[in-house]
Amino acid sequence: MVGFAVAALVAVAAAACGADTTGATGPGHASQAHVPVTATSPAQPADQPAGMPGSRPGTSAPPTPAGLGRPGATGGEGLAAGVGGVTLVPAATRFAANWPVELRFQVRGAGGRAITRFVQEQGATMHLYLIRSDLVGFQHVHPTMATDGTWTANLAAPASGFYRAYASFTTPVDGRVMPFVLSTPITIPGAAVPTPVPAPTTTTTVDGYTLRLSMPRGPLRAGMAGPLAVTVSRDGRPVTDLQPYLASYAHLSAFHQGDLAFAHLHPTGSVVAGSVATGRGATGHGATGHGATGHGATGHGGPTLTFDAHLPRAGAWRLYLQFRAGGHPHTAAVTLAVP
């Protein structure tokens, strides 16, 4: 399996599904074109990221995580590479700075065999997330799988630093369909300049849109599930023409400051043809349907989106909300404090 054994960088144009507002890549789906991999792609410098949280200049070890699990998923809070006999196996975890990355990996099961059967969830068979240890550099792409079970994720050029890549997927195991979130550390050598995590707030803006967070049943608390509402406005007016994005009207990912624990906050409604589904099994990108708040029947949603939130530990969480409006994808970032 030569294609999997040899992995390196390729200078291909790749854009992530979303980006944060503090130095990550711009919005837009990543290119899924297959590009041959060579062992002579851009040289990887010998120096290591310096100045990142949890690291010392000249060291290569990323911050040590201590993880548990996202509700309903196997694999902890995304901080384990293998759980229950299912393992994430990357071809490489070290890449040159400021060059597009072609990340290849397999999901292996019993006996070390590559798993090739996956179930689509929220509009994609595989979700791949990338975040730096200071919670910037967010990317969310959808890799493509070869017949031998090797996945290829095209990532936009990352800056130096310690990162974690998360694979979120659903696959049958011992006759049961189970969701997993597994991850691997990624090292981008070079001098890294840490970005302070912004202070917690309930309001953020992106591309002229204002997003306001609210907790209808009171503040979210660590380890306790509760609803999180996001209201979208523009120029002081409610936005009611949000367009379907990944089988719903928004996609919300959260990362915990310090250990990079991961949480995916599911929308309470998913867009399907002709209606809005309340379960998590809907996967269509329906062109018609009610909004997540029950308004309209023309494929438009808003202004308020509600998510089932379960953030398992106290502290600061960096939330990345991706949505589509005006014919373009947008990614907003906000810090939420959880007592």
Side-chain angles (χ1 to χ4, degrees), residues 45-66:
D47 55 314
Q48 301 296 325
M52 296 298 295
S55 68
R56 300 187 310 275
T59 65
S60 59
T64 300

Side-chain angles (χ1 to χ4, degrees), residues 225-255:
L228 174 67
V230 179
T231 302
V232 185
S233 63
R234 185 179 179 90
D235 298 327
R237 299 179 180 179
V239 172
T240 58
D241 61 349
L242 296 178
Q243 298 152 347
Y245 178 83
L246 292 179
S248 63
Y249 287 106
H251 188 279
L252 187 56
S253 310
F255 303 88

Side-chain angles (χ1 to χ4, degrees), residues 181-223:
V181 178
L182 303 177
S183 73
T184 184
I186 299 292
T187 299
I188 309 296
V193 179
T195 300
V197 176
T201 182
T202 57
T203 304
T204 187
T205 60
V206 61
D207 303 330
Y209 293 90
T210 298
L211 289 79
R212 186 177 300 277
L213 278 61
S214 62
M215 279 65 76
R217 297 180 186 172
L220 296 178
R221 295 189 176 277

